Amino acid sequence: MKIISINTGSSSLKFSLFDMKEEKVIASGLFERIGIEGSSYTIKFNGEKLQQEIELNTHTDAVKVLLEKLIDLEIIKSLEEIDGVGHRIVHGKDKYSESVLVNDTVISDLEEYKEFAPLHNPANVLGIRAFKEVLPNVPMAVVFDTAFHQTMDEEAYLYPVPYKWYKEYGVRKYGFHGTSHKYIANAMKDILGREDFKLISCHIGNGGSICAIKDMKSIDTTMGFTPLAGIMMGTRSGDIDPSIIPYVMEKEGKNVGEVLDDLNKSSGLLGMSEFSSDMRDIVSKCDEGDEQVLTARGKYVRRIVDYIAQYYVLLGGADAIVFTAGVGENSVPIRREVCERLACLGVKIDLDLNNGRGETLKISTDDSKIDVYIVPTDEELMIARDTLNLIKNR
Ligand code: ADP
C-alpha cells in the first residue's frame, strides 16, 4: 500500500510518499513558489536529490508534475500504485475530532472555517482540489491539527470572557500540533506497553506547544484560539496581556493587523534577543555571554517550565515528559536547562544520554521521579497512518 502525505501552503506543496508495509518514506519533496515567478521543485528518493526550476501556475500543475516525476524516476510504475492521499489540515473547528475521508461536505466545512485559519485552510483546500482533479478515483483523507485536542473539557477550552463570544463566534481554545502530540502519545504507548499514562508532550520547534495527555487523550494544550498562544516561540510571543495591543497601536501608529504581525513574526526569541529566531544561533551567542540573548533564552525556557509545572498539577503527576520537534529533538542545552529547572519535581537527566539526537531515547536517570524522553515526531507518517486506516475501514 502506498500513501502520499500532503501539506499544502498558499504557494507551496510538500509531500512524502510512504510504503505503508514498512512505514517507510520512498520519496519526499517540495514544490515552491507556485503561482509566483521562479517556481521549482525538489524530490528526494533513494539517497538522491532532484532539483529543477519549472513553471507552476497552480497547485494542480504541481500535482501533475509530481505524479509525472514519480513515474519518470521509476519511484512508482503507474498511478494505480497510489492507494490514498492524506492532507494536513490546520483547522477542523469543533466539528472534527478525528481524521475523515474527503467528501463535498468536508470541503465546504473547510472553506467555511477559513476565518479561523485564513492563511492555512484555503491553501489546504487548494491541495485537496488539485488532487481531486488529477486523481479523481483515489480516496483522500483529511487529518486535522486541531482534532486531537477535541477531548479537552469546557474548563480547559473556554476563555474567561463573555460566554456569547463562544456561543455566537466560536471563541475558545482549539489547540494545534495535534497530529504531532497524537504521534507522541502512540509512540509512548509502544514504549510503556500501556495506555493509562500521564504524559507531558513538548513539541518545541520554531512554533511550539505543550500538551497534557491522560490515558491517550489531550486534556489541555498551550496553543489556543490561534497558534499565537502559549509558550514563547521562534518569532511568536506566546501568551501576553492583550491590553498591550491597543497601547502599541497608538505608540507606533499601527493598525491591529500590523501589531498582530509583530506578535507573530517579530516577537519570541527574535523579538526579545533582537538577534535570531533560531535556537542554534541563540545558544552560540549565549556562549559569548550576550546578556540580552541570555535573557531571551531564559524566558523561553521559563515559559516551557511554567507549563510543564502547570500540567504536572493538572494531571496529578506525570509518568513521562517528552521532548520533540526541532529544538526538543536537537538542543542539548535547552533540554538540560528545562530539566534542571524541574529538579524540585524530582526530574533528573543523565547528561551523557542527553547528548543523544535524532532517535527515541530515555534521557532520565533511574532515580528520576518522572521519565524524560526524546522522541522524534513524524506528522507525515501519522497522516499516512490515519489515511490508510480510513481507506481500509471504508
Ligand atoms: P517548525 O515549527 O518550523 O516545524 P522545526 O520543528 O523544524 O520547526 O524546528 C525548527 C527549529 O529547531 C529551528 O528554528 C532551530 O531553532 C531548532 N533546531 C534545529 N536543529 C537544532 C539544533 N541542532 N540545535 C538547536 N536547535 C535546533
Side-chain angles (χ1 to χ4, degrees), residues 163-180:
Y163 196 66
K164 181 183 170 202
W165 295 5
Y166 164 61
K167 286 304 279 179
E168 292 189 19
Y169 319 133
V171 172
R172 52 159 284 178
K173 179 185 281 194
Y174 291 101
F176 299 87
H177 288 147
T179 310
S180 174

Side-chain angles (χ1 to χ4, degrees), residues 244-268:
I244 294 168
I245 297 172
Y247 179 76
V248 173
M249 282 167 66
E250 191 154 326
K251 286 281 174 204
E252 299 209 335
K254 286 181 171 169
N255 63 33
V256 71
E258 288 166 329
V259 176
L260 270 179
D261 248 16
D262 288 342
L263 293 173
N264 272 299
K265 296 181 187 154
S266 314
S267 297

Side-chain angles (χ1 to χ4, degrees), residues 112-176:
E112 190 188 316
Y113 304 158
K114 68 171 186 266
E115 62 177 338
F116 290 89
L119 294 178
H120 295 103
N121 268 34
N124 298 159
V125 172
L126 282 175
I128 295 174
R129 288 199 189 285
F131 273 92
K132 216 170 166 226
E133 197 180 325
V134 185
L135 290 178
N137 300 318
V138 174
M140 292 199 284
V142 281
V143 178
F144 300 93
D145 273 11
T146 46
F148 183 62
H149 303 300
Q150 280 300 308
T151 44
M152 288 187 293
D153 65 12
E154 284 196 324
E155 196 181 288
Y157 73 67
L158 285 180
Y159 289 107
V161 294
Y163 196 66
K164 181 183 170 202
W165 295 5
Y166 164 61
K167 286 304 279 179
E168 292 189 19
Y169 319 133
V171 172
R172 52 159 284 178
K173 179 185 281 194
Y174 291 101
F176 299 87

Side-chain angles (χ1 to χ4, degrees), residues 23-135:
E23 296 197 325
K24 272 185 85 164
V25 176
I26 45 182
S28 64
L30 174 67
F31 288 72
E32 288 179 282
R33 298 180 65 84
I34 300 168
I36 307 171
E37 217 177 305
S39 42
S40 65
Y41 70 85
T42 313
I43 298 180
K44 288 188 207 161
F45 65 108
N46 252 343
E48 291 176 46
K49 185 169 153 183
L50 175 70
Q51 207 162 6
Q52 213 165 19
E53 282 207 12
I54 187 165
E55 192 176 318
L56 300 167
N57 292 317
T58 63
H59 286 74
T60 306
D61 290 348
V63 174
K64 281 183 183 156
V65 172
L66 163 62
L67 297 174
E68 251 171 56
K69 291 291 156 195
L70 290 179
I71 291 174
D72 285 355
L73 298 167
E74 295 179 0
I75 297 166
I76 53 172
K77 288 194 187 70
S78 82
L79 296 182
E80 313 273 289
E81 282 184 47
I82 298 172
D83 298 292
V85 181
H87 293 269
R88 178 196 178 188
I89 306 294
V90 168
H91 220 301
K93 262 197 94 196
D94 42 9
K95 175 165 175 181
Y96 293 98
S97 56
E98 47 195 38
S99 306
V100 292
L101 288 169
V102 174
N103 59 28
D104 290 344
T105 312
V106 171
I107 296 179
S108 74
D109 283 343
L110 297 183
E111 281 174 334
E112 190 188 316
Y113 304 158
K114 68 171 186 266
E115 62 177 338
F116 290 89
L119 294 178
H120 295 103
N121 268 34
N124 298 159
V125 172
L126 282 175
I128 295 174
R129 288 199 189 285
F131 273 92
K132 216 170 166 226
E133 197 180 325
V134 185
L135 290 178

Side-chain angles (χ1 to χ4, degrees), residues 14 177 203-208 234 236 269 277-281 283 300 324-334 357 377 379:
K14 228 162 125 180
H177 288 147
H203 178 115
I204 307 170
N206 188 29
R236 281 178 238 160
L269 281 176
S277 63
D278 193 298
M279 190 50 86
R280 287 163 285 205
D281 300 340
V283 167
Y300 185 92
T324 194
V327 177
E329 288 167 31
N330 297 299
S331 186
V332 175
I334 296 300
R357 261 194 211 160
T377 193
E379 289 161 290

